[in-house]
Amino acid sequence: MKLAVVGGGSTYTPELIDGFARLRDTLPIEELVLVDPAADRLELVGGLARRIFAKQGHPGRIVTTSDVDAGVADADAVLLQLRVGGQAARQQDETWPLECGCVGQETTGAGGLAKALRTVPVVLDIAERVRRTNPNAWIIDFTNPVGIVTRALLQAGHKAVGLCNVAIGFQRKFAKLLDVAPGQVHLDHVGLNHLTWETGVRIGGPGGDDVLPKLLAEHGDAVAEDLHMPREIVDRLGVVPSYYLRYYYQHDAVVEELKVKPSRAAEVAAMERQLLEMYGDPALDEKPELLAKRGGAFYSEAAVDLAASLLGNGGSPYQVVNTVNNGTLPFLPDDAVIEVQATVDGTGAKPLPVEKLDPLYSGLIAHVTGYEDLALQAALHGGRNRVFKALLAHPLVGQYAYAEALTDHLIAHNREHLAWA
């Protein structure tokens, strides 16, 4: 089995490598190709990756290359984890929206739109290269904004499934609080990428007992603290929103918070410099503890599980993925991409049925889906007016004056990445 990771020079890659090494019986990789245009980073990450495999006795071969076509040729699956523009672009995404009084975040709001505009054309180009070299390969997208990127891939006819680590993070945290094995925890997880709620926490599978009320009653403080939200919000909802809902439920407070604290991009950039220095140590043969602060917890385990299922090597019976709606949420278009529990096999992901949602959730999901449709049109076809319409449609922007100013800021800060600008 051959896997390729595009964006393999990421400082986060050793987390993925560690998962591949530990779970080699689930996903028996014979060749792993790390693809990245940054040769210096790739050399450091590739060296550590080989040492991790060697220490854990993994027999697979790790290859590094900057040639996308060569890297993805004959791959059974291609994982996308790229960041167009790097942390410098992320820094911009997190700062210029604040000048207009809007949240500055790399996947949500105006910053998220900027990332989508930079990313979608690049991802589609890579996907076409995959299709030319191996049309049967699966594409697993971990590149944000996952929902919009996955929708672009699916609408272009690619074999793609989107992946986010929010759900597996909740599963692991809830399992620890409930003192059960993670595999026993099944989430009623519903929404869009970075706009989801856990409406049930079941023990044993989809038909198991819902212990969400017990979880909130006994561990509500811990859950709320992890979300960086007041417990009152969680108690009144009676569900567990993702961390990203704080940008909606507490927008103005978060804007004020972001104005006075260092950006997450600055924190990550400093962390990456430390990590790359560590990776250059030939004695290091395991992922360093610092990597846990980098973000993306449990991504490697979710990625192994998903790849194993798509490639016919087993995997968990139910997994939270980003895939085509196709009637699952009847208030959305069939071609919308949603994030829900699904069964996954060699034919792809098939969402499990979802109970009718409270309008408190379905209304926001429908609103953001409308924005995502406009965002994808802007990413595919460009043009200032398309960018403006997407921003005007976003619930975190929504006002004419804000959308006008943010459009100018977005184009000015991303001109080098926008062919039409």
Side-chain angles (χ1 to χ4, degrees):
M1 179 186 299
K2 175 181 175 180
L3 262 67
V5 179
V6 180
S10 167
T11 56
Y12 192 73
T13 297
E15 167 68 26
L16 192 61
I17 299 298
D18 179 73
F20 288 157
R22 288 186 292 103
L23 302 171
R24 55 185 173 274
D25 291 339
T26 303
L27 194 66
I29 299 171
E30 296 168 288
E31 182 177 354
L32 176 64
V33 184
L34 305 181
V35 184
D36 203 291
D40 53 344
R41 293 169 64 104
L42 192 58
E43 181 181 358
L44 295 173
V45 173
L48 176 57
R50 294 185 185 97
R51 295 193 297 272
I52 291 173
F53 263 30
K55 181 179 181 179
Q56 299 196 32
H58 195 297
R61 183 168 73 108
I62 295 179
V63 178
T64 58
T65 182
S66 60
D67 186 332
V68 174
D69 293 320
V72 303
D74 301 320
D76 297 288
V78 178
L79 280 68
L80 304 180
Q81 56 170 36
L82 52 147
R83 180 183 295 278
V84 180
Q87 294 299 329
R90 178 179 182 172
Q91 170 73 13
Q92 297 294 334
D93 295 344
E94 294 180 347
T95 51
W96 55 261
L98 296 174
E99 298 174 23
C100 299
C102 296
V103 158
Q105 210 279 332
E106 66 156 342
T107 64
T108 299
L113 176 60
K115 194 172 196 302
L117 297 182
R118 294 193 304 268
T119 304
V120 166
V122 174
V123 165
L124 289 179
D125 176 67
I126 293 169
E128 285 299 328
R129 292 166 182 265
V130 173
R131 180 150 53 191
R132 286 199 301 267
T133 59
N134 184 8
N136 294 317
W138 278 102
I139 296 175
I140 297 173
D141 178 59
F142 193 65
T143 296
N144 283 318
V146 168
I148 295 173
V149 173
T150 303
R151 189 171 183 180
L153 288 166
L154 291 172
Q155 287 187 357
H158 298 289
K159 294 174 59 176
V161 180
L163 181 64
C164 179
N165 69 316
V166 166
I168 193 171
F170 274 135
Q171 182 201 45
R172 300 308 168 89
K173 289 166 187 172
F174 294 167
K176 186 174 181 180
L177 292 172
L178 295 167
D179 195 25
V180 298
Q184 288 295 302
V185 176
H186 178 92
L187 303 176
D188 291 346
H189 178 103
V190 62
L192 310 175
N193 180 241
H194 290 185
L195 192 86
T196 53
W197 297 263
E198 311 308 325
T199 60
V201 178
R202 303 183 184 278
I203 302 300
D209 293 335
D210 183 8
V211 297
L212 179 57
K214 170 185 162 99
L215 177 72
L216 294 180
E218 296 181 1
H219 305 286
D221 287 342
V223 171
E225 182 179 2
D226 189 57
L227 298 172
H228 296 274
M229 294 184 192
R231 177 169 178 174
E232 180 184 5
I233 293 178
V234 180
D235 285 341
R236 293 187 70 176
L237 292 175
V239 303
V240 179
S242 82
Y243 168 88
Y244 292 90
L245 265 298
R246 72 190 296 259
Y247 298 119
Y248 296 81
Y249 294 159
Q250 299 172 276
H251 177 274
D252 292 354
V254 172
V255 168
E256 293 307 310
E257 171 191 313
L258 294 175
K259 284 180 177 178
V260 298
K261 66 181 291 189
S263 69
R264 176 61 178 165
E267 293 175 351
V268 171
M271 205 178 302
E272 286 195 334
R273 288 191 291 271
Q274 288 181 264
L275 287 169
L276 288 170
E277 186 175 344
M278 292 178 179
Y279 295 172
D281 181 357
L284 184 67
D285 57 7
E286 59 186 11
K287 62 177 182 179
E289 291 185 13
L290 178 62
L291 190 55
K293 298 179 181 179
R294 171 67 178 77
F298 307 114
Y299 161 45
S300 62
E301 294 174 38
V304 167
D305 209 11
L306 179 55
S309 295
L310 292 172
L311 300 177
N313 288 307
S316 300
Y318 310 107
Q319 299 172 44
V320 173
V321 297
N322 284 260
T323 191
V324 68
N325 177 43
N326 201 21
T328 305
L329 300 181
F331 54 88
L332 295 184
D334 282 349
D335 66 348
V337 165
I338 59 176
E339 186 172 291
V340 291
Q341 288 278 5
T343 58
V344 185
D345 59 23
T347 63
K350 301 173 184 63
L352 298 182
V354 174
E355 292 184 8
K356 184 177 180 180
L357 289 176
D358 187 302
L360 181 62
Y361 314 122
S362 62
L364 186 53
I365 291 170
H367 192 163
V368 175
T369 297
Y371 151 75
E372 289 192 346
D373 183 64
L374 292 167
L376 181 54
Q377 293 307 308
L380 293 174
H381 305 295
R384 186 186 188 282
N385 200 44
R386 290 190 180 94
V387 175
F388 167 78
K389 286 181 177 180
L391 287 167
L392 187 64
H394 201 295
L396 297 182
V397 179
Q399 297 185 53
Y400 176 86
Y402 287 174
E404 274 285 294
L406 288 168
T407 298
D408 290 337
H409 280 294
L410 187 155
I411 294 172
H413 286 290
N414 290 276
R415 199 174 300 276
E416 66 180 294
H417 300 292
L418 305 176
W420 53 268

